[in-house]
Amino acid sequence: MESGIGVSADSVPYLALRDHEADVSDDARLKQLGYKQELSRSLSAIANFSVTFSIVSVITGLTTTYGTGLTFGGPVTVIYGWPIVGFLTMFVALAMAEICSAYPTSGGLYFWSAKLCGNHWGPMASWFTGWLNIVGQWAVTTSVDFSLAQLIQVIILLSTGGKNGGGYEASKYVVMAFHGAILLMHAIINSLPISVLSFFGQLAAAWNLLGVLLLMILIPSVATERASAKFVFTHFNTDNGDGINSKVYIFVLGLLMSQYTLTGYDASAHMTEETKSADKNGPKGIISSIGISIIFGWGYLLGITFAVTNIPFLLSEDNDAGGYAIAEIFYLAFKDRYGNGVGGIICLGVVAIAIFFCGMSSVTSNSRMAYAFSRDGAMPLSRWWHKVNQQEVPINAVWLSAFISFCMALTSLGSLVAFQAMVSIATIGLYIAYALPIFFRVTLARKSFIPGPFNLGRYGVLVGWIAVIWVATISVLFSLPVAYPITPQTLNYTPVAVCGLLVLTIASWIVSARHWFTGPITNIDK
């Protein structure tokens, strides 16, 4: 007798048994790595991918930084910079996926570093990697949710008449209140059982995919004035108003739009203790989230850029959206066609929901990292943060992540320059954390590394070196000045923020942690 979906009734017990065997295998592998199963292992490969894909969220990253791409190079940087950065980022993703397959634990990067460096260097490598990773993740959440608060402010501005029509411009305190409310909702959602969170994650992935398809087709179709193919594929904007004339320099600065977007894919690793067949599905989540993001992101950029005709106006703070480039593009497309910009505001609502999902998934990843890091005693009050509730959710770590992300955003009340410096850790600090275990894999553990089911074979070392070199390159490029002459207001504070984090991490190791932190600690006997 056949069921409606083509699976025989006799096969159902077999399928259930196979899933049970997979769970046993996952639990046994986790036990080999030194941990007992505490989180609910119920995520499928699709669910794992969905969380990571919604964090990468091309709508979120490209919408909020599209103005950077237009400023530094315009269409040429936007259209060609994305595939270049995407191609090189894939090397980082592949190298991470190979290590993830060998060590599928929620700790992710810092656990990898510890194992790859051995007993002597492992604790120190684990400490540095872990703190760069977790602070970078908190910075990502801060950046995403604050960008949503800013977009909500722009939506309200346009809905009330725009900047030139007497629209309401929220103060920095109102924007901060929006940010706090968004984080509160994300903490509440992440306090729900993982099965519910899995549903939201898959909904988020679908929303991102459909949202990209909708906007990349709709916006250029509605716009009454469209750019020519020659403009989209060959126009290079040198009018950045920042005293930079070198085309190469300008192009490099514009790449930040792409690299900022392609972050957060370590989430698949942090969700492995909740994922079935983690040593296969964790790596799949990392690679597929980047691969699909590259394809859909390029389509989104093409569609939006065909609606660009006047770059200086889109970037001007005197336009109706207050200088928010994509918001002005959406608004003008509908206003010029239909006499009002309501359709554009609705499109911004589609983007806002995608950003909301991105922040939600980011908190999920943050909390799992905090749970694992505190399980190994690396955080203050560790015993508190790695507790799980009856639904097997690391509830305290969830609320800790939301609280710290709110505190990081408070710097915006004093200075947007200081806030941007802190947020810069979301790209450079996080990528340094990505590169450290890869570097250890191709150096100290080159001969001793035992790969998991997913591995790159003889190409593993080559891919790893390309990944490390790329991270080293962007760490330098994105630390360069973005305006001349250099003043306290125009200085790029990225190296200051990242170096500050490095100094604090090194100092804490020398003064305290080296005396007691021994790296990952088994909890099987607890």
Side-chain angles (χ1 to χ4, degrees), residues 76-94:
V76 166
T77 300
V78 168
I79 300 303
Y80 298 108
W82 176 259
I84 291 172
V85 170
F87 174 73
L88 291 166
T89 298
M90 182 57 80
F91 283 93
V92 182
L94 285 168

Side-chain angles (χ1 to χ4, degrees), residues 189-267:
I189 293 173
N190 274 277
S191 299
L192 301 174
I194 189 63
S195 57
V196 178
L197 202 58
S198 173
F199 167 77
F200 277 113
Q202 293 176 67
L203 176 62
W207 188 276
N208 272 274
L209 288 173
L210 295 175
V212 167
L213 291 172
L214 170 68
L215 295 175
M216 65 184 279
I217 296 171
L218 182 62
I219 299 303
S221 299
V222 170
T224 56
E225 293 185 41
R226 285 185 288 273
S228 65
K230 181 179 179 181
F231 177 86
V232 171
F233 291 102
T234 66
H235 180 72
F236 192 90
N237 177 42
T238 57
D239 184 19
N240 51 71
D242 294 313
I244 302 174
N245 299 314
S246 168
K247 287 189 175 183
V248 174
Y249 197 163
I250 292 172
F251 183 81
V252 164
L253 293 178
L255 294 180
L256 179 61
M257 175 198 73
S258 302
Q259 196 65 79
Y260 168 81
T261 302
L262 296 174
T263 55
Y265 44 93
D266 57 317

Side-chain angles (χ1 to χ4, degrees), residues 127-151:
W127 179 264
F128 292 159
T129 305
W131 278 109
L132 284 170
N133 189 196
I134 196 167
V135 175
Q137 285 196 11
W138 286 331
V140 168
T141 302
T142 302
S143 175
V144 170
D145 282 4
F146 194 79
S147 69
L148 176 55
Q150 290 177 315
L151 180 58

Side-chain angles (χ1 to χ4, degrees), residues 71-118:
T71 301
F72 298 107
V76 166
T77 300
V78 168
I79 300 303
Y80 298 108
W82 176 259
I84 291 172
V85 170
F87 174 73
L88 291 166
T89 298
M90 182 57 80
F91 283 93
V92 182
L94 285 168
M96 287 173 59
E98 182 181 51
I99 304 174
C100 177
S101 182
Y103 308 115
T105 74
S106 293
L109 308 172
Y110 84 87
F111 184 93
W112 306 347
S113 290
K115 293 300 181 183
L116 293 168
C117 286

Side-chain angles (χ1 to χ4, degrees), residues 1-12:
M1 181 178 179
E2 296 284 323
S3 68
I5 58 173
V7 178
S8 67
D10 292 339
S11 70
V12 173

Side-chain angles (χ1 to χ4, degrees), residues 15-72:
L15 293 175
L17 178 61
R18 187 176 65 182
D19 284 345
H20 173 70
E21 289 174 346
D23 289 344
V24 171
S25 176
D26 283 322
D27 293 354
R29 178 60 182 138
L30 185 61
K31 189 174 182 180
Q32 288 176 351
L33 295 173
Y35 300 117
K36 62 183 178 181
Q37 186 70 45
E38 292 182 314
L39 304 178
S40 175
R41 193 178 290 276
S42 57
L43 294 183
S44 63
I46 293 177
N48 181 286
F49 156 79
S50 297
V51 171
T52 303
F53 182 72
S54 59
I55 291 178
V56 176
S57 183
V58 292
I59 292 185
T60 298
L62 295 179
T63 298
T64 55
T65 59
Y66 189 73
T68 300
L70 286 184
T71 301
F72 298 107

